[in-house]
Amino acid sequence: LLLPPLLLSALFAQNAMGLTITGTEGSCSCTTTSINLTCSDLGIQLKDLPAGGVLGAECPNLQVLSFAFNSLTGLNPTQFSNLTALQSLSLHCNVLSSLSPTQFTGLTRLVTLIVGTNWLTSLSPTQFSELTALQELILPFNHVTSLSPNQFSGLTALRLLYLHDNDLRSLSPTQFSGLT
């Protein structure tokens, strides 16, 4: 989606104070010292997010980030890559149909990932491989039809996995190898 520069600057205003994200019904903002950015339950109805890297550059200390209950249809593959302090990411209740295989690259401190109630149909075999601190992975109410062998290997800290209300056709023990 290419937007004219004037419109783009109206949607994502960056300044010395941080970043403001504006949707159809409101906005949310963060600063360089913010640890929490919640752009959900506000009726702002975001359809797009700032270009990859902008969040980390403008709000480098974010630990909790929520874009739940919006109208997001897609994400830039590097959307969250430089949010190295991030511990919780919520993208539930959007209309995401896919995630880049590198969508969560660099999020080594992420403890909670919520991507339920979207339109996801598949997951990359390495979708979560770098999330070594992940304890909660919540993916219900999507349309995922299958999981790769060893889909969750490497997630040694995982304590909670929700996959209910997907379209999974079969499961094998190898898909959960490495989980305790």
Side-chain angles (χ1 to χ4, degrees), residues 28 30 41 67 88 95 154 171:
C28 58
C30 63
D41 298 326
F67 289 115
S88 177
V95 287
L171 295 174

Side-chain angles (χ1 to χ4, degrees), residues 154-171:
L155 299 182
T156 56
L158 195 66
R159 299 293 173 252
L160 180 68
L161 174 62
Y162 285 159
L163 292 169
H164 62 85
D165 291 289
N166 273 286
D167 298 331
L168 293 169
R169 294 191 175 100
S170 66
L171 295 174

Side-chain angles (χ1 to χ4, degrees), residues 52-69:
V54 171
L55 281 170
E58 298 297 324
C59 310
N61 297 309
L62 284 180
Q63 295 176 14
V64 178
L65 179 59
S66 177
F67 289 115
F69 299 100

Side-chain angles (χ1 to χ4, degrees), residues 124-134 137 147-158 161 173-180:
S124 161
T126 58
Q127 192 78 67
F128 312 110
S129 62
E130 292 191 27
L131 303 180
T132 54
L134 195 67
L137 179 55
L147 299 173
S148 300
N150 304 309
Q151 181 78 61
F152 307 106
S153 65
L155 299 182
T156 56
L158 195 66
L161 174 62
T174 61
Q175 291 162 325
F176 304 98
S177 65
L179 299 180
T180 56

Side-chain angles (χ1 to χ4, degrees), residues 4 6 12-13 44 57 60 85 110 118 165:
L6 183 59
F12 313 116
I44 60 177
L110 197 67
N118 277 287
D165 291 289

Side-chain angles (χ1 to χ4, degrees), residues 19-23 26-31 34-46 49 55 59 61-70 72 80 83 86 88-92 94 114:
L19 176 71
T20 298
I21 303 170
T22 303
S27 64
C28 58
S29 61
C30 63
T31 66
S34 296
I35 61 168
N36 186 347
L37 176 60
T38 301
C39 296
S40 56
D41 298 326
L42 301 173
I44 60 177
Q45 290 304 302
L46 295 174
L49 294 179
L55 281 170
C59 310
N61 297 309
L62 284 180
Q63 295 176 14
V64 178
L65 179 59
S66 177
F67 289 115
F69 299 100
N70 280 289
L72 299 174
F80 311 112
L83 290 171
L86 199 62
S88 177
L89 176 59
S90 179
L91 299 166
H92 69 283
N94 279 286
I114 306 170

